[in-house]
Amino acid sequence: MESLWRDIDMRRLDQGEDTETNLVIISHGLTSRVFLMKWFKWTVDQFERLNNFGNCEFRVMQLGPGGDYSLAIFHTKEELQSWGLSPEMVIDQQWRATANRGNWNEDFPGYLNSFFDHLKDSQENEEAEESENRELQLSTEHFALD
C-alpha cells in the first residue's frame, strides 16, 4: 500500500505525456478507507467518521486540473456527506478539485492549523519556559542557602 501511494503521487505509473493512466483498486472497505486516509492526510477522528463501503460500492479519486486528486470531481457533495465526510473534509475535497497543488497552506491556512490545535503558541511556550526557569532558580537559591 505504501509503494502504491508513492508510485501514484510521484506519477511513476504514467506511460507518457499523451496518455492517461487509470487505476482500479479492488479491496475491502477498511483497506480502502485506510488508503484514502493516508492519501488525503485525514486524522484518526476523521477516518473513524467514515462509513465502510457497501458491496460493489466504489469511490473515484480523479486528478483535477491543478494537479491534485479529489473525490469531489466525480462525486457530489451529498455523496461525500453520506459517506461520513465532515463539512471540513468536504470543503477540502472541493478545494482539491480545482486548486493548484502546493497552494493549500496559503489559500486555506485554517485547515493546516487544525492539525496543531493541541500545541501551545510560541508565546505560551516562552512564558512556560520562563516560569520553569524562575522555579529552577528559586530552588537552586534555596539549596544554596541551606
Side-chain angles (χ1 to χ4, degrees):
M1 195 149 125
E2 189 68 29
S3 61
L4 175 63
W5 185 84
R6 265 193 320 274
D7 289 345
I8 294 170
D9 193 44
M10 297 177 77
R11 298 179 182 260
R12 291 182 186 157
L13 304 174
D14 289 344
Q15 284 78 23
E17 294 295 322
D18 299 335
T19 61
E20 187 174 308
T21 302
N22 295 302
L23 297 174
V24 176
I25 301 171
I26 299 171
S27 172
H28 292 282
L30 179 61
T31 305
S32 298
R33 288 174 42 218
V34 169
F35 178 83
L36 293 172
M37 177 191 184
K38 174 139 181 73
W39 187 270
F40 294 119
K41 297 174 178 58
W42 289 334
T43 65
V44 172
D45 289 337
Q46 290 171 320
F47 169 81
E48 289 177 348
R49 288 181 53 101
L50 301 175
N51 302 321
N52 237 350
F53 291 29
N55 288 336
C56 300
E57 194 174 0
F58 62 91
R59 307 287 188 267
V60 176
M61 276 179 35
Q62 190 169 339
L63 186 62
D68 210 347
Y69 286 90
S70 172
L71 296 168
I73 296 172
F74 186 85
H75 302 286
T76 66
K77 177 181 177 180
E78 291 74 24
E79 282 180 297
L80 300 179
Q81 291 170 333
S82 72
W83 299 336
L85 274 74
S86 69
E88 295 81 18
M89 294 166 78
V90 172
I91 290 169
D92 173 51
Q93 292 301 310
Q94 291 171 331
W95 182 88
R96 288 172 184 270
T98 58
N100 289 326
R101 191 173 206 175
N103 290 345
W104 184 243
N105 293 339
E106 294 88 29
D107 293 346
F108 199 56
Y111 188 78
L112 180 63
N113 292 340
S114 69
F115 286 100
F116 302 105
D117 283 345
H118 66 284
L119 300 175
K120 296 178 183 175
D121 289 337
S122 57
Q123 183 177 357
E124 290 175 3
N125 286 338
E126 288 174 18
E127 290 171 2
E129 201 172 295
E130 286 176 16
S131 176
E132 288 174 16
N133 287 340
R134 279 193 299 270
E135 289 176 20
L136 181 61
Q137 185 178 11
L138 288 173
S139 64
T140 306
E141 289 173 2
H142 175 73
F143 286 116
L145 294 174
D146 290 342

